[in-house]
Structure formats: C-alpha cells, structure tokens
Amino acid sequence: MRISLAILLPALMLFGGCGRDDPESSSAAPATTQSAAEATGGTAMPTPEEARAIAKDAYIWGFPIVENYKTLYQQALDEGGSNFHAPLNRIGNLASVATPKDAAIITPNSDTPYSFLWMDLRPEPLVLSIPEMGTDRYFSVQLIDLYTFNFAYINAAVTHGKAGTYLIAGPDWTGDTPKGVDKVFRSQTPIAYGLFRTQLFSPGDLDNVKRLQAQYKVQPLSAFSGVPAPASPPALNLPPYDGEKANGVGFFNYLAALLPYAPMTGDETSLRDRLARIGVVPGKPFDEAALSPAMRKALTDGIADANKELENFTATQINTDKVSSADLFGTREHLKGNAIYRFAGAKLGIYGNSASEADYQSYFVDAKGQPLDGSIHDYVLRFPKDGLPPTNGFWSITMYDGKSKLLVDNALDRYLINSPMLEGLRRDADGGITIHLQHAPPGKDKESNWLPAPSGPFYVVLRNYSPKAEVIDRTWKRPALEVVR
C-alpha cells in the first residue's frame, strides 16, 4: 500500500500469522486496529474477503487507466525505449504501418500510419493545426482522456477536408475561444492523448502520407497567441512502467500514482472510498512489500476474479455478438459508468474508435463456436458478391496472434486484407470473395486471398472506417468464419 512501512507493519498483522484469529494477539488488537484505520485514511481495514472484492472492482475500473499509462510511458516518457516517439506536447510521426515488431499497443491497426501526441494540459491548452486533407483520404485525430474515454474527434466531419486550427484544453482552463481557433475541445483529465490516423492507399502512397504528417502541428496556446507562457507545473510524479509489476499486485501502485491526474466525478465517490480501504490513495505510496501473505492473496485473487469476469463476458457477450466495439468505446456519457465495457475494450484492443468513427467486429470463434487455432484448422471467410462491408471510408480484416495480441509475422509481410486491395483479390465464380485464413500457404491460385495465421490461437478483427448505417445498426450481417480442414 502506498503508505509508510512503519505504519503498515502493525496494521497488517490483522492478516499475518498472529492476526485476529490468534488468541494470544487479542490484547494488542485495539492498538493494531487504530493503526489500520490510520493507514487507510480513517476507515477500518477490510477483511480478506472484502479486500478481494474491492481489488476485483478496482482492477476492472482501473485497468484502462494503467494500460493507458503503459502507452504514455513507452511513447512519451521512456526516451531510451524502442517505442518512444516524442516527448510530451510534441507530435511523433510513424511513417509506416504497424508490424509484428510494434508491441506498445495490443491489437494495432495496420491500415493507417499513426502520429502520436501525448498532452500535458496542466499549464495551458494546446493548439493543433491540421492541413488540407481533401475528401478522398480518411484521417482522424482521436482525442482520448486518461480514463480512455474518447472525448472528441478531429476528422472530415469537422474539417470538411480543409485546413483547420483546434484548441485542446484541460479541466481547469476557463478561457474563451481564441481568435484564429476553429473549435475548442475539452478533456476531463489534464493528461490526454491525440492519436492520429492517416490512410495509406498503397505502399507507393507512403510519401504522400509523410507529407501530410509533417504538416500536423502543435503549439502551446501562449505561443499561438504571442503572449508569455505560464509557469511550468511540477514534473509528473509517476513511476517507470514495468509490465510484470503492473500485471500483479504492483498494479495498485500504478493506479494510486495515476489517480491525481484523473479528476473524480460524483458517481465515483463510493468507489474511491473503497479503494482507500485497501490503501489505494491518490498520490500516496502503495507499499507492496509490506503486504501480509493473506492480504497479498486477497488482492491477487481479486485480480484473478476480474480477469475471470472478462473471460465470461467475452464468451457470453462479445463472442455471441451481443456486445460490439460500438458499446465498448466512446465518451463518458456513452459508456454510462459501465466499467466492464471499458475493461474489455482496454484488454482486447485499447484506443478503439467510437461507433460513429469506426466499427469493429471481432472473430474469436468459428461458425460452431470453437476457438480459432491455426495449428488445428484452416478457415475461410466468404463474402457474397453484394455482401462486402458497407462503408463510406474503407474496411479491413486483420489477423492477430491469440497469445501476444500483436500482428502475426509471416513470409508475405501481409497482416491484413482491406478494401483498397479488392482489385488484386481473386473472385469466386459467383463474383464473391473468399479469404483464406490459415498457417500454411493455400496454394498459388489462392495466395492473393491468403491472410496468414499463426500456428496456434488467433483472432481476427473486421474494421470499418466511416461505416454506413446498416453496419452500425447491424442490419448488415457479417459472414461466419468457417472451418475447411
């Protein structure tokens, strides 16, 4: 718990070898209980059963925040890391599409080269400048707060293909729209993410994408307005990200460190009070080393319970198409406090788009409900002649390794099949298209339609950017993934 070891040692005796169940310790109980209350902000220490339940809820609610920080740390804070792109408040461009070597974001999109902007909005707002994009090329700037809510978009619907200037403000800014700014977008959290997507039509189009990326600009409001800059805020007080720690009890250390940058809303009061009972207090050290065996087990079991709930949710809701990406990603108002939706979104593919921007339909099982595995079966996805995904932009089908949740390395360097590739795909006799999803090559006559799978578990995501209404309302039905061997 992020409190001093000196306080915790007597307090955690409640869960140690001479705790409440030891008759010889009864005379010391009042003093120990007082220390426990002090350690948790005046509330009584929870029982192991209570701690387990709190840990489960904390992990479901807080995982998206910590997973978000993982990307923040790797892309903007860890300057020596392989996934570093640019420091805070500067744009980093990746003039290529994702490959299996890109591990910072799980279930990455490989259709659109990315640009990245991690924003520290504490001192003042930032001003983004977008070049003229035209009407044929898809692009978007997805604005995401620390909770992982998509609080706004800068896209063709906002710019109409023309150049524009936009201000991104944190929760404490109270100014008016400055002269020369087309629109103001407000983040509930002082730390926010701008994730740029610029469509690549073909490998030969890469220089055009680079040219557009170079024209994305960001500057502080003071520089834009020609006035003195405000005083710099204190440096972010955040520990280096360590995946092993973050996936265990150390998760609560990261959550406590991040909470000061996640302003609380009224409906979170009860949850935050419960977090304090297990020592997760905004900005205060969570000392994992001081946990008793019983408390450590309770917290670890709570995390396992959360992951089990996600497993059940995936099997009963996502795999059965009862819940789609349209439900998992969006504004705070759209999610309506549904923590399991945010949890599933962050676990299965963080930074998914809101429904109005893009639709995601995942394949985790075949037509008979069995998990996909390239070491056991070959699969096909058949689209009838007039049954391709309806879109105002473009669609893609991307293959992911079921274990790493990353793109699949293969001899063709082919990680997806998308609508810009239609002219090169082989048509069926009836004019439809059959995509072959398997580990071994399907033969030269089918290679154009081959999406290589790993020799093991995998999943597939069908993305549709600027989808038509029949995709969003599900009147268009995607085909099932069928076993052929």
Side-chain angles (χ1 to χ4, degrees), residues 29 60 62 98 104 107 144 175 258 261 314 338 358 376 394 396 463 467 482:
I60 290 174
T107 317
I144 310 160
L258 289 161
Y261 308 103
T314 301
N338 194 320
I376 302 174
F394 72 100
S396 72
R463 292 179 172 89
E482 299 174 352

Side-chain angles (χ1 to χ4, degrees), residues 13 39 92 119 189 215 238 271 296 314 329 347 379 381 445 461:
M13 292 297 286
M119 296 174 276
T189 62
Q215 296 178 73
L238 296 168
L271 173 64
R296 176 179 290 275
T314 301
F329 302 105
K347 274 277 191 178
Y379 303 85
L381 195 58
D445 60 327
V461 178

Side-chain angles (χ1 to χ4, degrees), residues 371-386:
L372 306 178
D373 193 321
S375 68
I376 302 174
H377 297 297
D378 295 343
Y379 303 85
V380 293
L381 195 58
R382 293 188 177 94
F383 291 95
K385 180 180 179 180
D386 298 320

Side-chain angles (χ1 to χ4, degrees), residues 284-344:
K284 292 190 176 182
F286 182 97
D287 193 347
E288 180 185 350
L291 295 174
S292 71
M295 177 61 90
R296 176 179 290 275
K297 184 177 186 304
L299 299 183
T300 301
D301 287 347
I303 293 173
D305 292 343
N307 286 322
K308 181 64 176 178
E309 182 159 331
L310 175 63
E311 182 181 325
N312 293 335
F313 177 79
T314 301
T316 61
Q317 303 297 313
I318 295 179
N319 291 352
T320 58
D321 291 334
K322 293 179 181 178
V323 171
S324 72
S325 67
D327 303 302
L328 304 182
F329 302 105
T331 62
R332 175 179 286 274
E333 293 72 24
H334 173 75
L335 270 293
K336 299 178 181 178
N338 194 320
I340 190 66
Y341 279 20
R342 282 178 53 245
F343 182 42

Side-chain angles (χ1 to χ4, degrees), residues 39 42 67 73-74 92 102 141 145-146 178 190 209 230-231 270 299 305 361 416 418 434 437 458 480:
E67 187 71 4
Y73 179 77
Q74 292 178 343
D102 296 297
V141 184
D145 68 17
L146 188 60
V209 170
S270 175
L299 299 183
D305 292 343
Q361 298 192 42
L416 58 83
N418 60 21
T434 297
L437 303 95
F458 70 90

Side-chain angles (χ1 to χ4, degrees), residues 56-289:
K56 174 188 175 183
D57 292 344
Y59 195 77
I60 290 174
W61 177 82
F63 179 87
I65 298 173
V66 176
E67 187 71 4
N68 200 9
Y69 175 61
K70 168 188 172 182
T71 308
L72 163 61
Y73 179 77
Q74 292 178 343
Q75 292 184 349
L77 301 181
D78 184 20
E79 295 195 18
S82 60
N83 291 309
F84 180 81
H85 294 301
L88 291 168
N89 297 343
R90 290 179 59 184
I91 296 174
N93 295 311
L94 190 60
S96 63
V97 291
T99 73
K101 295 180 180 179
D102 296 297
I105 299 176
I106 61 172
T107 317
N109 148 25
S110 193
D111 294 289
T112 57
Y114 285 114
S115 300
F116 313 88
L117 172 60
W118 280 101
M119 296 174 276
D120 182 356
L121 301 171
R122 292 176 299 160
E124 59 178 319
L126 295 176
V127 178
L128 296 185
S129 298
I130 304 297
E132 183 175 346
M133 302 296 294
T135 56
D136 294 332
R137 186 185 304 272
Y138 172 86
F139 93 98
S140 69
V141 184
Q142 180 182 359
L143 299 173
I144 310 160
D145 68 17
L146 188 60
Y147 286 97
T148 66
F149 293 117
N150 298 333
F151 64 89
Y153 278 89
I154 303 171
N155 55 16
V158 174
T159 70
H160 304 289
K162 300 178 181 179
T165 304
Y166 307 93
L167 185 140
I168 316 300
D172 298 327
W173 187 71
T174 56
D176 297 323
T177 302
K179 183 179 180 179
V181 169
D182 295 304
K183 191 170 184 178
V184 173
F185 298 98
R186 295 180 179 272
S187 169
Q188 184 196 335
T189 62
I191 304 299
Y193 190 27
L195 186 56
F196 298 62
R197 295 177 175 91
T198 309
Q199 184 182 4
L200 177 70
F201 295 130
S202 67
D205 183 46
L206 189 57
D207 284 344
N208 293 323
V209 170
K210 290 180 180 179
R211 176 180 55 81
L212 292 169
Q213 287 180 324
Q215 296 178 73
Y216 294 136
K217 301 293 184 183
V218 62
Q219 57 185 316
L221 175 59
S222 57
F224 177 81
S225 302
V227 301
S232 297
L236 294 175
N237 184 24
L238 296 168
Y241 182 84
D242 182 305
E244 184 175 352
K245 293 179 180 179
N247 289 317
V249 174
F251 163 85
F252 300 103
N253 181 44
Y254 288 105
L255 183 58
L258 289 161
L259 287 180
Y261 308 103
M264 180 172 62
T265 60
D267 58 354
E268 292 173 354
T269 303
S270 175
L271 173 64
R272 300 263 184 139
D273 288 345
R274 294 178 71 221
L275 292 179
R277 294 193 65 199
I278 59 171
V280 179
V281 179
K284 292 190 176 182
F286 182 97
D287 193 347
E288 180 185 350

